[in-house]
Amino acid sequence: SYVVNGKNTQKVLEVEDGANLFETLISNGIYVPNTCGGHHVCGKCKVKIKTAQTQKIGEDEGKFLTKVEKNMNMRLACFVKVHSDMEVHVPAESKSNILTKGMYFLKSMDPRIKKRSLILSKPSLHDQRDDLRRITEEIGEVVKVPLSVLKEVPIVLESNNYQLKSVTRRKELISIESPESDEVYGVAVDIGTTTIAAYLVDLRSGERIDVYSSVNPQKIFGGDVITRIDYTMRKANGLHEMQKVIAEELNKIIDVFCRKNEIDIKNIYEMVIVGNTTMLHLALGIPPKNIANAPFVPAFTSTIEIKASEVGIKMNSEGYIIFLPSVASYIGADIVADILSSRMYEKSEFSLLIDIGTNGEIVIGNKNKLIACSTAAGPAFEGTGITFGTAGVVGAIDHVDLTKRPVYTVIGGGKPSGICGSGIVDAIAEMIKMEIIDPRGRMRSKDEISLDEDISTRIIQYEGEPAFLISKEIFITQRDIRQIQLAKGAIFAGIKVLMNKIGIDFEDIKRVYIAGGFGNYIKPEAASTIGLIPERLTNKVIQIGNAAGAGAIMTLVSDKELKVATEIARQVEYTELSSTSEFQEEFINSMYF
């Protein structure tokens, strides 16, 4: 057995001799930081092993650990085999700075859920209509009544003197309630690969009542969609585990909303979910394996409407969950919601939409044409693969300005623990402006350029490679710069491919919408300096925050918006960059700073 002490909790586990420590922790619901799913690649799953054990640190593991960490008995859990009792300490998670704000423009309310008062005539020898007919004739156009509602009919009618509230969804009677019941709520959810943002909405007024954000609990199985898909294929029960943790998280969110706002869970009648195509498959428990393999065909892309009970979500017993439509394996419902909330599909002028999260999705178009592509660029901008990279959590350096002292700001203040995407972009932009980084991305030595002493002393060597000191213990290394080059080059190249495909130039693009958490916090000028977005478009940037969440809210309160979203998904033309030779050429050209 061994004890895991993290988040002020302890757990004692019994394992078989030789069990992999990482897999043991994950399978028991204990989160260990990682982005590779335990494949010895990311170097993030650091734990402290206090009990003496004989297993030596090999070369492959040792390259991820500093001398200080080795002296502190830090290990990578994915390399450790359990052969005897050991005490393991897992670092507590930092609180994430999750973006929940987003802009949207709702034209009119058109909710699918309708609650109305009914005063029914009582039965008599002259009126022997059955109870259900008495209700449905008063409502009109009801063609479906679930058994659970039918069972309630005589009870509700008799106990309320034939006065009641009916709740219908389209032509289905989903609930009958006491005449005092007035509340009608829905929940909109954006399930991101890394984070979840949820919104409680009053379906009578369209008002956003509350918001809740959390880290996606599926991260214990891997930091990106490919790793999670791989987990569902390697583990016999992997897909069920993925679906279960999402259902549990959604139930937790609903419970928090109800307790905090004194709401009866029966008064939550509908939920709209957006997310990338893989997240939707996992939330539904549908095998996503073909998303990861050519020709990259998902099981579905259409709008899915199901009873919440079918996927274990606890709300009104006959309530519905709507999954917005996707376009392709790598252009999901979140991007459809982005397009909807930005209203770019309505305009005559061309707009560019970039959503930079764990992946980077790009859309260009107007009311006549929309084309899209996806690039594997996001992870670097979220800290993955960066030496001291981290997500946008408390303690992360989020902005860098080498003309100020101190040169950085930290989310939540205090001592920095890492650097997140917006800070990395700032730092590299600052180094480019000071010519510390040359156009090819090479970091110059302090002897090659003339800088003031404070800046020049920051150019150092870190574990045998050039590095730039941001804070006392946090550096930007030459390897980090190369990672950002690859990521920004992919996005810029994707933009160019779509522009060429649609036949327009930079001058034709009138607006640049940047969506997503990372996109909301970067400085457009810094993004332009490193070549993430074209310089000629810098002044056209509009940061629209969590546009996916905004689009989910719009479709929750308006059936008309849901129909528009469905039409947008049909209209978007997807371009697969991996099969486009033009992308390779543009990618090489886009690598320069």
Side-chain angles (χ1 to χ4, degrees), residues 272-315:
V272 171
I273 293 178
V274 301
N276 67 51
T277 310
T278 300
M279 291 303 103
L280 300 191
H281 279 62
L282 295 177
L284 283 163
I286 295 174
K289 65 179 183 178
N290 291 332
I291 291 175
N293 303 310
F296 314 113
V297 178
F300 70 96
T301 56
S302 57
T303 303
I304 302 291
E305 300 188 27
I306 61 170
K307 296 278 182 164
S309 57
E310 291 186 63
V311 285
I313 304 303
K314 298 175 183 177
M315 40 194 276

Side-chain angles (χ1 to χ4, degrees), residues 36 59 86 292 486 517:
C36 72
E59 183 179 346
M86 60 172 62
L486 293 170

Side-chain angles (χ1 to χ4, degrees), residues 371-382:
I371 59 175
C373 68
S374 176
T375 63
F381 291 122
E382 293 198 335

Side-chain angles (χ1 to χ4, degrees), residues 48 164 175 241-242 246 261 386 450 492 495 525 574:
K48 187 175 183 179
L164 69 149
S175 184
E241 290 180 61
M242 291 274 192
I246 280 295
N261 298 280
I386 303 299
S450 177
F492 196 101
I495 294 171
E525 298 79 11
Y574 176 64

Side-chain angles (χ1 to χ4, degrees), residues 221-260:
F221 306 110
D224 58 66
V225 296
I226 300 301
T227 307
R228 292 182 198 174
I229 292 172
D230 178 67
Y231 187 86
T232 68
M233 295 165 65
R234 287 188 296 109
K235 301 293 183 179
N237 208 35
L239 181 59
H240 173 72
E241 290 180 61
M242 291 274 192
Q243 196 278 328
K244 182 182 177 183
V245 296
I246 280 295
E248 289 174 347
E249 186 67 18
L250 294 177
N251 286 331
K252 173 186 171 184
I253 290 169
I254 291 171
D255 181 63
V256 169
F257 281 155
C258 290
R259 286 189 290 103
K260 184 178 175 183

Side-chain angles (χ1 to χ4, degrees), residues 548-560:
I553 294 172
M554 291 166 66
T555 55
L556 177 66
V557 301
S558 173
D559 201 37
K560 292 176 183 176

